[in-house]
Short mmCIF file of all heavy atoms in Angstrom, two decimals:
data_model
loop_
_atom_site.label_atom_id
_atom_site.label_comp_id
_atom_site.label_asym_id
_atom_site.label_seq_id
_atom_site.Cartn_x
_atom_site.Cartn_y
_atom_site.Cartn_z
N LYS A 384 -14.72 27.05 2.50
CA LYS A 384 -16.11 27.15 2.93
C LYS A 384 -17.06 27.14 1.73
O LYS A 384 -18.04 26.39 1.72
CB LYS A 384 -16.33 28.41 3.78
CG LYS A 384 -17.78 28.54 4.24
CD LYS A 384 -17.98 29.72 5.19
CE LYS A 384 -19.43 29.79 5.66
NZ LYS A 384 -19.65 30.85 6.66
N GLU A 385 -16.77 27.96 0.75
CA GLU A 385 -17.64 28.03 -0.42
C GLU A 385 -17.67 26.71 -1.18
O GLU A 385 -18.72 26.29 -1.69
CB GLU A 385 -17.20 29.17 -1.34
CG GLU A 385 -17.42 30.56 -0.74
CD GLU A 385 -18.86 30.77 -0.29
OE1 GLU A 385 -19.79 30.43 -1.07
OE2 GLU A 385 -19.07 31.25 0.85
N GLN A 386 -16.52 26.04 -1.24
CA GLN A 386 -16.46 24.75 -1.93
C GLN A 386 -17.30 23.71 -1.21
O GLN A 386 -18.01 22.91 -1.83
CB GLN A 386 -15.00 24.28 -2.03
CG GLN A 386 -14.16 25.05 -3.01
CD GLN A 386 -14.37 24.57 -4.44
OE1 GLN A 386 -15.09 23.62 -4.69
NE2 GLN A 386 -13.75 25.26 -5.38
N VAL A 387 -17.22 23.68 0.12
CA VAL A 387 -18.00 22.72 0.90
C VAL A 387 -19.49 23.01 0.75
O VAL A 387 -20.31 22.09 0.60
CB VAL A 387 -17.57 22.73 2.37
CG1 VAL A 387 -18.52 21.89 3.24
CG2 VAL A 387 -16.14 22.19 2.52
N ILE A 388 -19.86 24.26 0.80
CA ILE A 388 -21.26 24.64 0.60
C ILE A 388 -21.74 24.15 -0.77
O ILE A 388 -22.86 23.60 -0.91
CB ILE A 388 -21.44 26.17 0.72
CG1 ILE A 388 -21.24 26.60 2.19
CG2 ILE A 388 -22.79 26.61 0.21
CD1 ILE A 388 -21.21 28.11 2.39
N SER A 389 -20.91 24.34 -1.78
CA SER A 389 -21.25 23.90 -3.13
C SER A 389 -21.38 22.38 -3.20
O SER A 389 -22.30 21.85 -3.83
CB SER A 389 -20.19 24.39 -4.12
OG SER A 389 -20.45 23.92 -5.42
N LEU A 390 -20.47 21.66 -2.54
CA LEU A 390 -20.52 20.20 -2.54
C LEU A 390 -21.79 19.69 -1.86
O LEU A 390 -22.41 18.72 -2.31
CB LEU A 390 -19.29 19.64 -1.83
CG LEU A 390 -17.96 19.73 -2.59
CD1 LEU A 390 -16.79 19.51 -1.65
CD2 LEU A 390 -17.94 18.71 -3.72
N LEU A 391 -22.15 20.32 -0.75
CA LEU A 391 -23.37 19.92 -0.05
C LEU A 391 -24.59 20.07 -0.96
O LEU A 391 -25.50 19.23 -0.96
CB LEU A 391 -23.55 20.75 1.22
CG LEU A 391 -22.63 20.40 2.39
CD1 LEU A 391 -22.70 21.47 3.48
CD2 LEU A 391 -22.99 19.03 2.98
N LYS A 392 -24.60 21.13 -1.75
CA LYS A 392 -25.71 21.38 -2.65
C LYS A 392 -25.68 20.45 -3.86
O LYS A 392 -26.68 19.79 -4.19
CB LYS A 392 -25.68 22.85 -3.12
CG LYS A 392 -26.70 23.21 -4.19
CD LYS A 392 -28.11 23.13 -3.68
CE LYS A 392 -29.10 23.63 -4.73
NZ LYS A 392 -30.50 23.45 -4.29
N GLU A 393 -24.54 20.37 -4.53
CA GLU A 393 -24.47 19.65 -5.80
C GLU A 393 -24.47 18.14 -5.62
O GLU A 393 -25.06 17.42 -6.43
CB GLU A 393 -23.20 20.08 -6.56
CG GLU A 393 -23.25 21.54 -7.01
CD GLU A 393 -21.93 21.99 -7.61
OE1 GLU A 393 -21.05 21.14 -7.81
OE2 GLU A 393 -21.78 23.20 -7.87
N SER A 394 -23.79 17.64 -4.59
CA SER A 394 -23.67 16.19 -4.41
C SER A 394 -24.72 15.60 -3.48
O SER A 394 -25.01 14.41 -3.54
CB SER A 394 -22.27 15.85 -3.88
OG SER A 394 -21.27 16.28 -4.78
N HIS A 395 -25.27 16.45 -2.58
CA HIS A 395 -26.16 15.90 -1.55
C HIS A 395 -27.49 16.65 -1.45
O HIS A 395 -28.27 16.38 -0.54
CB HIS A 395 -25.44 15.91 -0.20
CG HIS A 395 -24.16 15.15 -0.21
ND1 HIS A 395 -24.11 13.78 -0.18
CD2 HIS A 395 -22.86 15.58 -0.27
CE1 HIS A 395 -22.84 13.39 -0.21
NE2 HIS A 395 -22.07 14.45 -0.28
N SER A 396 -27.72 17.58 -2.37
CA SER A 396 -28.99 18.32 -2.42
C SER A 396 -29.33 19.01 -1.11
O SER A 396 -30.48 19.05 -0.67
CB SER A 396 -30.13 17.36 -2.82
OG SER A 396 -29.87 16.77 -4.07
N ARG A 397 -28.32 19.56 -0.45
CA ARG A 397 -28.54 20.28 0.80
C ARG A 397 -28.26 21.77 0.56
O ARG A 397 -27.11 22.18 0.37
CB ARG A 397 -27.62 19.76 1.91
CG ARG A 397 -27.74 18.25 2.16
CD ARG A 397 -29.08 17.87 2.80
NE ARG A 397 -29.36 16.45 2.70
CZ ARG A 397 -28.95 15.53 3.57
NH1 ARG A 397 -28.23 15.88 4.61
NH2 ARG A 397 -29.27 14.27 3.39
N THR A 398 -29.33 22.56 0.55
CA THR A 398 -29.18 24.01 0.39
C THR A 398 -28.65 24.61 1.69
O THR A 398 -29.12 24.28 2.78
CB THR A 398 -30.53 24.65 0.04
OG1 THR A 398 -31.03 24.02 -1.16
CG2 THR A 398 -30.38 26.15 -0.20
N TYR A 399 -27.67 25.49 1.54
CA TYR A 399 -26.97 25.98 2.73
C TYR A 399 -27.84 26.90 3.58
O TYR A 399 -28.59 27.74 3.07
CB TYR A 399 -25.70 26.72 2.32
CG TYR A 399 -24.77 26.95 3.50
CD1 TYR A 399 -24.11 25.89 4.09
CD2 TYR A 399 -24.57 28.24 4.00
CE1 TYR A 399 -23.27 26.09 5.18
CE2 TYR A 399 -23.72 28.45 5.08
CZ TYR A 399 -23.08 27.36 5.67
OH TYR A 399 -22.25 27.55 6.75
N ILE A 400 -27.74 26.72 4.89
CA ILE A 400 -28.36 27.59 5.88
C ILE A 400 -27.25 28.07 6.81
O ILE A 400 -26.53 27.24 7.38
CB ILE A 400 -29.44 26.85 6.70
CG1 ILE A 400 -30.55 26.33 5.78
CG2 ILE A 400 -30.02 27.77 7.77
CD1 ILE A 400 -31.57 25.45 6.48
N PRO A 401 -27.07 29.36 6.97
CA PRO A 401 -26.01 29.84 7.86
C PRO A 401 -26.16 29.25 9.27
O PRO A 401 -27.27 28.98 9.73
CB PRO A 401 -26.21 31.36 7.86
CG PRO A 401 -26.88 31.64 6.56
CD PRO A 401 -27.78 30.46 6.30
N ARG A 405 -29.72 27.98 12.17
CA ARG A 405 -30.13 26.60 12.42
C ARG A 405 -30.61 26.49 13.87
O ARG A 405 -29.81 26.60 14.79
CB ARG A 405 -28.97 25.63 12.19
CG ARG A 405 -28.37 25.76 10.80
CD ARG A 405 -27.11 24.91 10.67
NE ARG A 405 -26.30 25.34 9.53
CZ ARG A 405 -25.09 24.87 9.25
NH1 ARG A 405 -24.55 23.96 10.03
NH2 ARG A 405 -24.41 25.33 8.21
N GLU A 418 -35.36 15.44 16.20
CA GLU A 418 -36.11 16.28 15.28
C GLU A 418 -35.15 16.91 14.28
O GLU A 418 -34.13 17.45 14.65
CB GLU A 418 -36.80 17.42 16.04
CG GLU A 418 -38.12 17.07 16.67
CD GLU A 418 -38.78 18.31 17.24
OE1 GLU A 418 -38.59 19.41 16.67
OE2 GLU A 418 -39.45 18.18 18.26
N GLU A 419 -35.49 16.82 13.01
CA GLU A 419 -34.69 17.52 12.02
C GLU A 419 -35.07 19.00 12.00
O GLU A 419 -36.22 19.36 12.17
CB GLU A 419 -34.94 16.95 10.62
CG GLU A 419 -34.43 15.55 10.42
CD GLU A 419 -34.65 15.08 9.00
OE1 GLU A 419 -34.80 15.95 8.11
OE2 GLU A 419 -34.68 13.88 8.78
N VAL A 420 -34.09 19.83 11.82
CA VAL A 420 -34.34 21.26 11.62
C VAL A 420 -33.88 21.58 10.21
O VAL A 420 -32.69 21.52 9.92
CB VAL A 420 -33.58 22.11 12.65
CG1 VAL A 420 -33.87 23.58 12.42
CG2 VAL A 420 -33.98 21.70 14.06
N LYS A 421 -34.80 21.86 9.31
CA LYS A 421 -34.40 22.09 7.93
C LYS A 421 -35.40 23.01 7.24
O LYS A 421 -36.52 23.21 7.70
CB LYS A 421 -34.29 20.78 7.17
CG LYS A 421 -35.59 20.00 7.06
CD LYS A 421 -35.36 18.72 6.28
CE LYS A 421 -36.67 17.94 6.13
NZ LYS A 421 -36.49 16.73 5.33
N VAL A 422 -34.98 23.58 6.17
CA VAL A 422 -35.84 24.40 5.33
C VAL A 422 -35.94 23.68 3.98
O VAL A 422 -35.00 23.71 3.19
CB VAL A 422 -35.27 25.82 5.16
CG1 VAL A 422 -36.16 26.64 4.24
CG2 VAL A 422 -35.11 26.49 6.51
N GLU A 423 -37.05 22.99 3.76
CA GLU A 423 -37.26 22.21 2.54
C GLU A 423 -36.05 21.29 2.31
O GLU A 423 -35.85 20.34 3.04
CB GLU A 423 -37.52 23.14 1.36
CG GLU A 423 -38.80 23.96 1.52
CD GLU A 423 -39.02 24.91 0.37
OE1 GLU A 423 -38.13 25.05 -0.50
OE2 GLU A 423 -40.09 25.54 0.35
N THR A 424 -35.21 21.61 1.33
CA THR A 424 -34.03 20.77 1.07
C THR A 424 -32.78 21.37 1.72
O THR A 424 -31.67 21.16 1.26
CB THR A 424 -33.79 20.63 -0.45
OG1 THR A 424 -33.60 21.94 -1.00
CG2 THR A 424 -34.96 19.95 -1.12
N GLY A 425 -32.98 22.13 2.78
CA GLY A 425 -31.85 22.82 3.40
C GLY A 425 -30.99 21.91 4.23
O GLY A 425 -31.22 20.70 4.37
N ILE A 426 -29.94 22.50 4.79
CA ILE A 426 -29.03 21.80 5.70
C ILE A 426 -29.84 21.16 6.82
O ILE A 426 -30.72 21.77 7.41
CB ILE A 426 -28.02 22.81 6.30
CG1 ILE A 426 -27.02 23.27 5.23
CG2 ILE A 426 -27.30 22.22 7.50
CD1 ILE A 426 -25.94 22.28 4.92
N LYS A 427 -29.51 19.89 7.10
CA LYS A 427 -30.13 19.23 8.25
C LYS A 427 -29.34 19.59 9.51
O LYS A 427 -28.10 19.57 9.49
CB LYS A 427 -30.14 17.72 8.06
CG LYS A 427 -31.06 17.22 6.97
CD LYS A 427 -31.06 15.69 6.93
CE LYS A 427 -32.01 15.18 5.87
NZ LYS A 427 -32.03 13.69 5.85
N SER A 428 -30.05 19.86 10.58
CA SER A 428 -29.40 20.19 11.84
C SER A 428 -30.18 19.50 12.96
O SER A 428 -31.37 19.74 13.13
CB SER A 428 -29.39 21.71 12.05
OG SER A 428 -28.57 22.05 13.14
N ILE A 429 -29.48 18.64 13.69
CA ILE A 429 -30.14 17.78 14.68
C ILE A 429 -29.78 18.26 16.09
O ILE A 429 -28.61 18.26 16.47
CB ILE A 429 -29.69 16.31 14.51
CG1 ILE A 429 -29.87 15.87 13.06
CG2 ILE A 429 -30.47 15.41 15.46
CD1 ILE A 429 -31.28 16.00 12.53
N LEU A 440 -26.05 19.11 15.75
CA LEU A 440 -25.19 18.35 14.84
C LEU A 440 -25.74 18.54 13.43
O LEU A 440 -26.86 18.12 13.14
CB LEU A 440 -25.17 16.88 15.23
CG LEU A 440 -24.23 15.99 14.40
CD1 LEU A 440 -22.77 16.36 14.69
CD2 LEU A 440 -24.48 14.51 14.70
N SER A 441 -24.94 19.15 12.57
CA SER A 441 -25.44 19.56 11.25
C SER A 441 -24.68 18.87 10.13
O SER A 441 -23.57 18.34 10.32
CB SER A 441 -25.27 21.07 11.08
OG SER A 441 -25.99 21.78 12.06
N ASP A 442 -25.29 18.91 8.94
CA ASP A 442 -24.54 18.56 7.74
C ASP A 442 -23.27 19.40 7.69
O ASP A 442 -23.28 20.59 8.03
CB ASP A 442 -25.37 18.86 6.49
CG ASP A 442 -26.56 17.94 6.33
OD1 ASP A 442 -26.45 16.76 6.70
OD2 ASP A 442 -27.59 18.40 5.81
N GLY A 443 -22.17 18.78 7.27
CA GLY A 443 -20.90 19.50 7.20
C GLY A 443 -20.09 19.43 8.47
O GLY A 443 -18.93 19.89 8.50
N ALA A 444 -20.65 18.82 9.53
CA ALA A 444 -19.92 18.73 10.79
C ALA A 444 -18.73 17.80 10.66
O ALA A 444 -18.78 16.77 9.97
CB ALA A 444 -20.85 18.22 11.90
N ALA A 536 -27.35 9.49 15.40
CA ALA A 536 -28.00 10.63 14.75
C ALA A 536 -27.66 10.70 13.27
O ALA A 536 -28.52 11.01 12.44
CB ALA A 536 -27.60 11.92 15.46
N VAL A 537 -26.40 10.44 12.93
CA VAL A 537 -25.97 10.49 11.53
C VAL A 537 -26.73 9.46 10.70
O VAL A 537 -27.24 9.76 9.61
CB VAL A 537 -24.45 10.25 11.43
CG1 VAL A 537 -24.03 10.00 9.99
CG2 VAL A 537 -23.68 11.44 11.99
N ILE A 538 -26.83 8.23 11.22
CA ILE A 538 -27.49 7.16 10.45
C ILE A 538 -28.99 7.40 10.35
O ILE A 538 -29.58 7.31 9.27
CB ILE A 538 -27.20 5.79 11.11
CG1 ILE A 538 -25.70 5.47 10.99
CG2 ILE A 538 -28.03 4.70 10.46
CD1 ILE A 538 -25.27 4.25 11.77
N GLU A 539 -29.62 7.75 11.48
CA GLU A 539 -31.07 7.92 11.48
C GLU A 539 -31.53 9.10 10.63
O GLU A 539 -32.62 9.07 10.04
CB GLU A 539 -31.58 8.10 12.91
CG GLU A 539 -31.53 6.83 13.74
CD GLU A 539 -32.11 7.02 15.13
OE1 GLU A 539 -32.51 8.16 15.44
OE2 GLU A 539 -32.18 6.04 15.88
N ASN A 540 -30.70 10.11 10.53
CA ASN A 540 -31.10 11.34 9.84
C ASN A 540 -30.38 11.56 8.52
O ASN A 540 -30.54 12.59 7.89
CB ASN A 540 -30.89 12.54 10.76
CG ASN A 540 -31.74 12.46 12.01
OD1 ASN A 540 -32.94 12.76 11.97
ND2 ASN A 540 -31.14 12.04 13.11
N ASP A 541 -29.57 10.56 8.13
CA ASP A 541 -28.83 10.65 6.87
C ASP A 541 -28.05 11.96 6.77
O ASP A 541 -28.10 12.68 5.76
CB ASP A 541 -29.79 10.51 5.68
CG ASP A 541 -29.04 10.35 4.35
OD1 ASP A 541 -27.91 9.80 4.37
OD2 ASP A 541 -29.56 10.78 3.32
N LEU A 542 -27.33 12.28 7.85
CA LEU A 542 -26.54 13.49 7.86
C LEU A 542 -25.31 13.34 6.97
O LEU A 542 -24.69 12.27 6.90
CB LEU A 542 -26.09 13.83 9.29
CG LEU A 542 -27.17 14.28 10.27
CD1 LEU A 542 -26.56 14.56 11.63
CD2 LEU A 542 -27.89 15.52 9.75
N VAL A 543 -24.93 14.41 6.33
CA VAL A 543 -23.73 14.45 5.50
C VAL A 543 -22.61 15.02 6.37
O VAL A 543 -22.41 16.24 6.43
CB VAL A 543 -23.94 15.30 4.23
CG1 VAL A 543 -22.66 15.30 3.38
CG2 VAL A 543 -25.12 14.78 3.43
N VAL A 544 -21.91 14.14 7.07
CA VAL A 544 -20.86 14.59 7.98
C VAL A 544 -19.49 14.33 7.38
O VAL A 544 -19.35 13.67 6.35
CB VAL A 544 -21.00 13.92 9.37
CG1 VAL A 544 -22.26 14.38 10.06
CG2 VAL A 544 -20.97 12.40 9.24
N CYS A 545 -18.46 14.86 8.06
CA CYS A 545 -17.12 14.93 7.47
C CYS A 545 -16.06 14.38 8.42
O CYS A 545 -16.25 14.33 9.63
CB CYS A 545 -16.75 16.37 7.14
SG CYS A 545 -17.98 17.24 6.16
N ASN A 561 -20.27 5.63 7.11
CA ASN A 561 -21.34 6.61 7.27
C ASN A 561 -20.85 8.06 7.20
O ASN A 561 -21.62 8.98 7.46
CB ASN A 561 -22.09 6.39 8.58
CG ASN A 561 -22.70 5.00 8.66
OD1 ASN A 561 -22.33 4.21 9.52
ND2 ASN A 561 -23.60 4.70 7.74
N ILE A 562 -19.58 8.24 6.87
CA ILE A 562 -19.03 9.59 6.68
C ILE A 562 -18.89 9.82 5.18
O ILE A 562 -18.09 9.16 4.52
CB ILE A 562 -17.69 9.77 7.41
CG1 ILE A 562 -17.90 9.62 8.92
CG2 ILE A 562 -17.09 11.13 7.09
CD1 ILE A 562 -16.63 9.73 9.74
N LYS A 563 -19.64 10.77 4.67
CA LYS A 563 -19.74 10.93 3.22
C LYS A 563 -18.71 11.87 2.62
O LYS A 563 -18.49 11.85 1.41
CB LYS A 563 -21.16 11.40 2.86
CG LYS A 563 -22.22 10.38 3.23
CD LYS A 563 -23.62 10.86 2.88
CE LYS A 563 -24.66 9.82 3.29
NZ LYS A 563 -26.05 10.27 3.00
N MET A 564 -18.11 12.72 3.45
CA MET A 564 -17.10 13.65 2.93
C MET A 564 -15.86 13.59 3.82
O MET A 564 -15.96 13.71 5.04
CB MET A 564 -17.65 15.08 2.86
CG MET A 564 -18.86 15.23 1.94
SD MET A 564 -19.11 16.91 1.30
CE MET A 564 -19.41 17.82 2.80
N ASP A 583 -17.73 23.60 6.75
CA ASP A 583 -18.27 24.83 6.14
C ASP A 583 -17.84 26.01 7.01
O ASP A 583 -18.67 26.72 7.59
CB ASP A 583 -19.79 24.74 6.00
CG ASP A 583 -20.50 24.43 7.31
OD1 ASP A 583 -20.10 23.47 8.00
OD2 ASP A 583 -21.45 25.15 7.66
#
Side-chain angles (χ1 to χ4, degrees):
K384 180 175 181 176
E385 292 306 313
Q386 288 279 357
V387 171
I388 290 172
S389 177
L390 287 164
L391 285 168
K392 174 66 174 175
E393 293 173 8
S394 300
H395 303 284
S396 302
R397 305 290 164 87
T398 303
Y399 194 69
I400 300 173
R405 304 173 198 174
E418 277 187 32
E419 292 183 22
V420 180
K421 62 179 182 178
V422 178
E423 297 178 353
T424 59
I426 289 282
K427 291 183 178 181
S428 190
I429 308 302
L440 184 68
S441 300
D442 290 326
V537 168
I538 294 172
E539 288 183 358
N540 298 281
D541 190 29
L542 291 179
V543 181
V544 294
C545 308
N561 301 116
I562 297 178
K563 297 179 181 178
M564 299 204 298
D583 55 310

